[in-house]
Amino acid sequence: MSFRAINRKYLEPGSQVLMVLGIVALCQPWNMLLHSYGLTIILIGLIGFNITSKIAPEEDAATGQVRNSGAQH
């Protein structure tokens, strides 16, 4: 598995989940520590997503077209 495939499968969705968890941490009323670091968690996820979204997906060597690893029809 190449770095581009790992990025598309794990790193990009992971940074999106981190942003959502930061929003949850910011809005929850029970733990002051999570609330204090909520914005930091959102920003780390946002920076991670900006970096991982710029990495191009894998191209097929024979056709030169981008491989679609999503849903198959």
Side-chain angles (χ1 to χ4, degrees):
M1 184 176 258
S2 70
F3 174 72
R4 291 176 191 242
I6 293 171
N7 176 56
R8 184 66 58 186
K9 189 170 183 178
Y10 298 112
L11 298 179
E12 195 171 337
S15 60
Q16 293 171 349
V17 167
L18 191 61
M19 286 188 284
V20 171
L21 290 177
I23 293 170
V24 170
L26 192 62
C27 295
Q28 59 82 30
W30 303 286
N31 191 336
M32 189 62 182
L33 184 68
L34 283 177
H35 179 74
S36 298
Y37 288 106
L39 185 62
T40 305
I41 295 169
I42 294 171
L43 289 176
I44 291 170
L46 179 65
I47 291 168
F49 181 73
N50 280 333
I51 292 169
T52 57
S53 66
K54 302 296 184 219
I55 299 172
E58 288 184 338
E59 292 182 358
D60 192 10
T63 62
Q65 293 183 355
V66 174
R67 290 185 193 173
N68 185 5
S69 60
Q72 302 285 325
H73 295 283

